[in-house]
Amino acid sequence: MNCVFVQIRCKPGTAYQVADAIALREIHSELYSTSGEFDLLVKLYIPNDQDIGLYINDNLLDIEGIERTLTTLTFRTF
């Protein structure tokens, strides 16, 4: 499994709706509201046989209210 973090900037006033939509899809390991440039932080475990970009595009980025994302790939656990 590939551990990936996705930071999400939501359109103004939509962060709670976006978070609810993500939670309903049950694709995340953890989901946080954050301060700063992005509104939400999602931790995903993506199967090794899946293309990470395609998985995120197909399972996350079609949610209404998402304005921008920043994806961080992880490589090793210490």
Side-chain angles (χ1 to χ4, degrees):
M1 299 288 264
N2 295 302
C3 179
V4 177
F5 292 89
V6 181
Q7 295 180 74
I8 300 171
R9 181 182 303 145
C10 302
K11 293 178 183 173
T14 66
Y16 285 98
Q17 291 89 345
V18 171
D20 288 343
I22 293 169
L24 288 173
R25 293 184 180 201
E26 298 181 354
I27 60 169
H28 65 288
S29 169
E30 299 173 45
L31 173 60
Y32 298 98
S33 175
T34 59
S35 63
E37 194 173 332
F38 292 89
D39 302 301
L40 301 170
L41 175 66
V42 181
K43 182 178 182 182
L44 303 171
Y45 285 99
I46 300 175
N48 290 332
D49 64 339
Q50 297 279 323
D51 178 272
I52 294 170
L54 185 59
Y55 184 92
I56 291 170
N57 190 62
D58 289 350
N59 292 286
L60 187 65
L61 298 184
D62 63 339
I63 294 173
E64 183 69 30
I66 293 178
E67 187 173 87
R68 182 173 187 273
T69 62
L70 174 66
T71 302
T72 302
L73 306 178
T74 63
F75 302 105
R76 182 176 174 179
T77 303
F78 292 94

